[in-house]
């Protein structure tokens, strides 16, 4: 499957996966209950579903203490070009786009973010360099954010988190490989149909102009393709 | 730095890095000496340099027992479209290209491989699905290959290997993010100059036609750009 939110599952699919496959106690553990909010429980569900491993109360507490809830309003920025990307964010609710602006003022969208997606500028986050990208929030958005040492701590201390994060990186590699191939080998029309098939939620959540910037086609070309498609 | 062989270092750079930064015993450990050949020592050097961690004799032995040396002659295939990619390969010597052929018969190169690069079809290798790619050997090539359970065993048993592999995945994510952005936002000319700057070895090791397939430009366009460049 061709998607960039992990294993291509939305919130409800992840919930049902976790109900089916994973033994998991709902928010009733006294030690965690006082600390964790609904956003944390979403992350626990996600980690459990992706890793196939359970989380102890101690591990849940460590996760809660390591992440920070951040709320951004539509049009606010998670990252701006020229800044160092200090955080990786896990989207609980909302959507984002990561884009660059070239010398001719054209915008290119390198990634969209939806619920259950991690967002960051990999180069800037991992290598402490100034980012060439903006990450803008497209709707009112809630994120759990972590800096590098917090990610490293959780990877080292919570096997389920390490497993989930490795799986996320693997899925990203697969997704990017396909996206590079699409950019090189497909016509604008093929890329659009591919998106409709594999990322139907994108065409529901993002404007036609945004989709064009993501596909690397001119808005008028996409408009023509869509008319033809209807 | 913008490169797809890890941290952008060639063999001699890795050797010097490892000599400077890492305490490392040269091939004299009796337990390993009998098993390991020059290819294994290259991999040990690479793991040590990238992870910054040393390998015990026991770990070296486990690595040697897990990998298999494979030699392919120029124009042979590591993977053919329609097959499941059972292996990931670490290039000791030689070069590869991973490409797709679209319905119009056009080739698109999604990745080149040189010494100290891992090659595989991520989707096929990780998800056991038929590959849409060919990986062809461009020169006589020596690889160390591992299947999925061998990779998983080494990640679970050898911390330096796990650290190296995580770093490799991170570098790939960074590289792919930049490549997607280049495909979307740069002109053919800008992409070529970017390649010359960041992957100078590609223009020395691969033909002009190959470079055009990698950059997603027509060979005659690349030819025109190169004339202008000289």
């Amino acid at each position: 499957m061709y998607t960039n939110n992990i294993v291509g599952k939305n919130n409800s699919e992840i919930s049902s996966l976790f109900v089916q496959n994973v033994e998991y106690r709902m928010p009733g553990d006294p030690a965690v209950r006082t600390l964790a909010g609904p956003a944390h429980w979403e992350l626990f569900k996600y980690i459990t579903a992706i890793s196939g491993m359970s989380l102890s109360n101690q591990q849940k507490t460590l996760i809660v203490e390591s992440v920070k809830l951040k709320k951004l309003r539509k049009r606010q920025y998670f990252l701006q070009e020229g800044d160092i990307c200090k955080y990786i964010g896990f989207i609980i609710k909302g959507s984002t786009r990561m884009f660059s602006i070239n010398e001719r003022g054209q915008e290119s969208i390198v990634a969209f973010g939806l619920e259950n997606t991690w967002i960051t500028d990999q180069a800037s986050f991992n290598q402490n360099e100034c980012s060439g990208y903006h990450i803008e929030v497209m709707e009112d958005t809630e994120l759990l954010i972590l800096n590098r040492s917090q990610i490293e701590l959780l990877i080292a201390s919570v096997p389920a988190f390490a497993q989930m994060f490795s799986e996320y990186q693997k899925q990203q590699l697969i997704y990017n490989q396909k996206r590079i191939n699409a950019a090189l080998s497909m016509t604008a029309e093929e890329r659009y149909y591919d998106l409709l098939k594999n990322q139907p939620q994108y065409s529901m959540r993002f404007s036609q102009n945004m989709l064009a910037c993501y596909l690397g086609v001119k808005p008028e070309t996409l408009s023509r393709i869509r008319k033809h498609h209807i």
Side-chain angles (χ1 to χ4, degrees), chain A:
Chain A
M1 189 157 170
Y2 174 6
T3 164
N4 80 340
N5 59 339
I6 207 156
V7 298
K9 293 184 171 35
N10 61 26
N11 260 336
S12 62
E13 282 173 317
I14 289 224
S15 304
S16 72
L17 179 74
F18 118 72
V19 169
Q20 285 161 22
N21 296 342
V22 186
E23 269 193 54
Y24 187 84
R25 285 199 286 160
M26 281 307 285
D29 310 320
V32 187
R33 197 170 39 197
T34 50
L35 281 169
H40 301 114
W41 291 106
E42 286 302 321
L43 180 57
F44 296 163
K45 277 200 296 192
Y46 174 85
I47 294 169
T48 314
I50 301 301
S51 68
M53 295 162 81
S54 57
L55 291 164
S56 69
N57 282 351
Q58 198 186 4
Q59 289 171 334
K60 285 179 195 162
T61 305
L62 185 63
I63 292 169
V64 172
E65 286 170 350
S66 301
V67 302
K68 200 175 129 187
L69 182 64
K70 195 171 175 74
K71 295 184 184 190
L72 290 170
R73 269 191 300 217
K74 186 174 174 172
R75 297 288 171 200
Q76 274 191 283
Y77 283 85
F78 176 77
L79 171 71
Q80 292 190 77
E81 190 188 332
D83 293 346
I84 291 172
C85 187
K86 296 265 184 219
Y87 296 100
I88 185 164
F90 179 75
I91 302 179
I92 299 296
K93 181 176 160 299
S95 61
T96 61
R97 65 174 181 135
M98 176 165 160
F99 66 103
S100 67
I101 304 178
N102 69 11
E103 288 170 6
R104 294 169 291 286
Q106 289 161 341
E107 290 183 7
S108 301
I109 296 179
V110 295
F112 285 127
L114 288 174
E115 290 82 4
N116 288 313
T117 311
W118 293 90
I119 56 163
T120 196
D121 171 4
Q122 293 289 348
S124 179
F125 181 69
N126 286 302
Q127 298 175 340
N128 236 29
E129 62 188 40
C130 292
S131 177
Y133 302 97
H134 301 274
I135 301 181
E136 190 191 10
V137 160
M138 306 302 293
E139 304 163 307
D140 290 353
T141 293
E142 283 181 34
L143 300 141
L144 290 173
I145 61 170
L146 300 99
N147 64 25
R148 245 172 76 194
S149 59
Q150 288 161 334
I151 277 277
E152 281 162 14
L153 172 75
L154 291 182
I155 288 174
S157 320
V158 183
F161 191 94
Q163 177 65 26
M164 172 281 292
F165 205 71
S166 159
E167 191 56 37
Y168 149 71
Q169 290 191 317
K170 220 181 277 173
Q171 291 293 333
Q172 277 293 323
L173 286 174
I174 292 171
Y175 176 75
N176 290 342
Q177 188 173 281
K178 288 185 174 166
R179 189 133 181 248
I180 289 167
N181 187 49
L184 289 173
S185 72
M186 290 185 189
T187 63
E189 200 162 357
E190 287 167 344
R191 265 178 277 163
Y192 177 64
Y193 291 134
D194 193 60
L195 185 83
L196 283 189
K197 187 179 154 204
N198 294 301
Q199 302 281 32
Q201 70 281 28
Y202 283 4
S203 65
M204 291 183 271
R205 299 280 289 270
F206 302 108
S207 72
Q208 187 161 318
N209 266 356
M210 297 286 154
L211 294 178
C213 288
Y214 180 81
L215 292 169
V217 305
K218 288 188 184 137
E220 51 272 27
T221 308
L222 185 58
S223 181
R224 191 161 25 85
I225 294 168
R226 287 173 77 138
K227 269 186 202 146
H228 188 252
H229 180 62
I230 296 162

